[in-house]
Amino acid sequence: MAVSANRLGDRKAAARSRQERERMRRIRRLLLFFLVLVVAFILGFLVRSQTAFIASLGFTLDPSETSTLQKGVAAKSTYDAVSARVSEVEDLLADNSLDTINVEDATLTMLDDLLKSTGDPYAAYFSPDRYVNYIKETTDRSYAGVGVLFAEYNGRAYAADVFEGSEAEARGVRQGDYVIAIDGDRSKTWSLTEVVNTLARDEGSQVVITWMRPSSADAEKGSEFTTSLACQTYQEVNCTTELHDSCGVITLRQITQNSSSLVSQAITDLSNQGATSFVLDLRGNPGGYLTQAVDIASLFVNSGVIVEIQTVDGITTKNAAGVRQTEAPLAVLVDQYTAASAEVLTAALQDNQRAEVVGQTTLGKGSVQVVRELSFGGAIRYTAAYYLTPLGHDINGIGIVPNISVDANDQVDTQLLVAIDAATAAAA
């Protein structure tokens, strides 16, 4: 009986051992299955984040997923994302505080501070109301305003040119004066678009503008004065010509949609009058269309790089169009208010050794801004690209340094005389 009992005990022990082993095998299979799921999820997320790779495999992603997946697999945390930090504070307040958050006020304040922290003077948040004014279309773009051609530098609108004989000129507005307030509204930094849209009023309407006269283009403060001006239509010729002996002077106020054709016609007209050299006067020109700046440069440069454009994707170039109209000697006349695409044009002619640049160092506005609407209303403006000279030199914040430096003279246009001499000497 003792032997039988021992055998029975051994069989039971063996059975328990088999059951234990089977249970462990099931646990291992479950753990392995779970691990496979985790690995598959991670690999799937990694692969899905590579949209180009997925496309090559013949799979497609919903467009709404693509922008998110392209950011990569790393989740935002309080170590590297403002949004995560704000979310943490917002959750704490929601769970523990009796205070309530005013979402609109918080959005305005936080986004303003967020964009300022980039150090980009052009970065700005436009609330829904402000954005409506920013994008407002006007039916007459010829110029119904106050006799001032406006431009923008470091996010602030300024007088790039004051029309001769205008009421603004009579009231003492000068080139370089910044707009501080319109009709008493000092709630924002006035951008170029907002100023132009706000001043697009009926003929004869009165507008009160507060100006700030800085000591330099970068000055944050200066003396202020206020003018009351009547809005009216000013028809200013954008491109004018003069012939000084055998030197043709082409003055271009701004780079508009048809500027290259205007300059081309000016070259033809002056050549027919006997011009053997040219001066391109870009003083006070606030820029405009980049494509037109490239086309104007192409009238003088047959081949080569006209401008380099730096974005987050790298550097691209725009080249001369191969339609050179004249090989005659050329001088380009600039001052401290020559800006943006007018600087691109100047640098293209200088770096390609096509022209002597005469005058003063240009403004240094070598950046491009874009405006993007936001899903919750309003929009943000930020810098999306920088212009570089054909030789790869920065324009933004530096400007174009002339080959021949000449200060402005209120009595005699010394700058123009020197530019004419430079062009004429090259033609001799």
Side-chain angles (χ1 to χ4, degrees), residues 32-87:
L32 180 61
F33 179 72
F34 178 75
L35 181 61
V36 169
L37 284 179
V38 171
V39 172
F41 175 79
I42 294 174
L43 290 176
F45 194 83
L46 285 169
V47 172
R48 285 168 63 83
S49 70
Q50 306 301 317
T51 54
F53 177 64
I54 291 175
S56 70
L57 296 178
F59 295 95
T60 58
L61 289 176
D62 185 88
S64 63
E65 296 180 305
T66 303
S67 61
T68 301
L69 295 173
Q70 286 175 334
K71 302 298 182 183
V73 300
K76 291 183 177 180
S77 72
T78 54
Y79 292 101
D80 59 9
V82 175
S83 59
R85 297 181 182 187
V86 171
S87 179

Side-chain angles (χ1 to χ4, degrees), residues 46 92 152 222 231 266 274 279 303:
L46 285 169
L92 285 172
E152 186 174 322
C231 293
V279 170
S303 63

Side-chain angles (χ1 to χ4, degrees), residues 345-357 400-403:
L345 172 56
T346 302
L349 297 172
Q350 185 183 55
D351 276 8
N352 282 285
Q353 298 183 345
R354 183 60 183 85
E356 292 287 331
V357 177
I400 308 302
V401 179
N403 302 105

Side-chain angles (χ1 to χ4, degrees), residues 383-401:
T383 296
Y386 288 102
Y387 295 141
L388 306 176
T389 74
L391 296 180
H393 301 309
D394 290 330
I395 295 175
N396 199 62
I398 298 174
I400 308 302
V401 179

Side-chain angles (χ1 to χ4, degrees), residues 284-351:
N285 190 313
Y289 290 86
L290 176 64
T291 53
Q292 287 292 300
V294 173
D295 288 346
I296 294 171
S298 297
L299 297 174
F300 301 96
V301 178
N302 193 50
S303 63
V305 175
I306 298 300
V307 62
E308 294 186 347
I309 304 171
Q310 180 182 18
T311 67
V312 293
D313 296 321
I315 294 178
T316 58
T317 61
K318 289 187 177 295
N319 298 315
V323 293
R324 182 175 59 190
Q325 185 173 348
T326 178
E327 299 180 25
L330 175 69
V332 179
L333 190 51
V334 296
D335 65 8
Q336 70 268 37
Y337 297 110
T338 304
S341 60
E343 293 178 276
V344 169
L345 172 56
T346 302
L349 297 172
Q350 185 183 55
D351 276 8

Side-chain angles (χ1 to χ4, degrees), residues 190-331:
W190 285 85
S191 67
L192 167 62
T193 303
E194 289 172 305
V195 168
V196 172
N197 284 341
T198 301
L199 297 181
R201 304 182 180 186
D202 293 336
E203 190 90 6
S205 298
Q206 290 292 129
V207 60
V208 177
I209 304 178
T210 300
W211 309 83
M212 186 268 283
R213 182 162 297 159
S215 57
S216 68
D218 293 307
E220 294 294 327
K221 296 181 179 180
S223 60
E224 293 188 13
F225 64 100
T226 300
T227 59
S228 178
L229 304 171
C231 293
Q232 54 184 298
T233 301
Y234 291 87
Q235 297 294 342
E236 286 291 310
V237 179
N238 188 36
C239 185
T240 58
T241 62
E242 293 179 352
L243 185 65
H244 293 256
D245 294 328
S246 61
C247 183
V249 178
I250 303 170
T251 301
L252 189 64
R253 287 180 174 272
Q254 55 185 320
I255 301 179
T256 57
Q257 288 178 307
N258 66 339
S259 289
S260 62
S261 62
L262 292 176
V263 173
S264 176
Q265 187 60 51
I267 293 172
T268 298
D269 292 343
L270 289 168
S271 296
N272 291 338
Q273 296 173 45
T276 57
S277 62
F278 294 95
V279 170
L280 181 60
D281 189 349
L282 299 178
R283 289 177 295 180
N285 190 313
Y289 290 86
L290 176 64
T291 53
Q292 287 292 300
V294 173
D295 288 346
I296 294 171
S298 297
L299 297 174
F300 301 96
V301 178
N302 193 50
S303 63
V305 175
I306 298 300
V307 62
E308 294 186 347
I309 304 171
Q310 180 182 18
T311 67
V312 293
D313 296 321
I315 294 178
T316 58
T317 61
K318 289 187 177 295
N319 298 315
V323 293
R324 182 175 59 190
Q325 185 173 348
T326 178
E327 299 180 25
L330 175 69

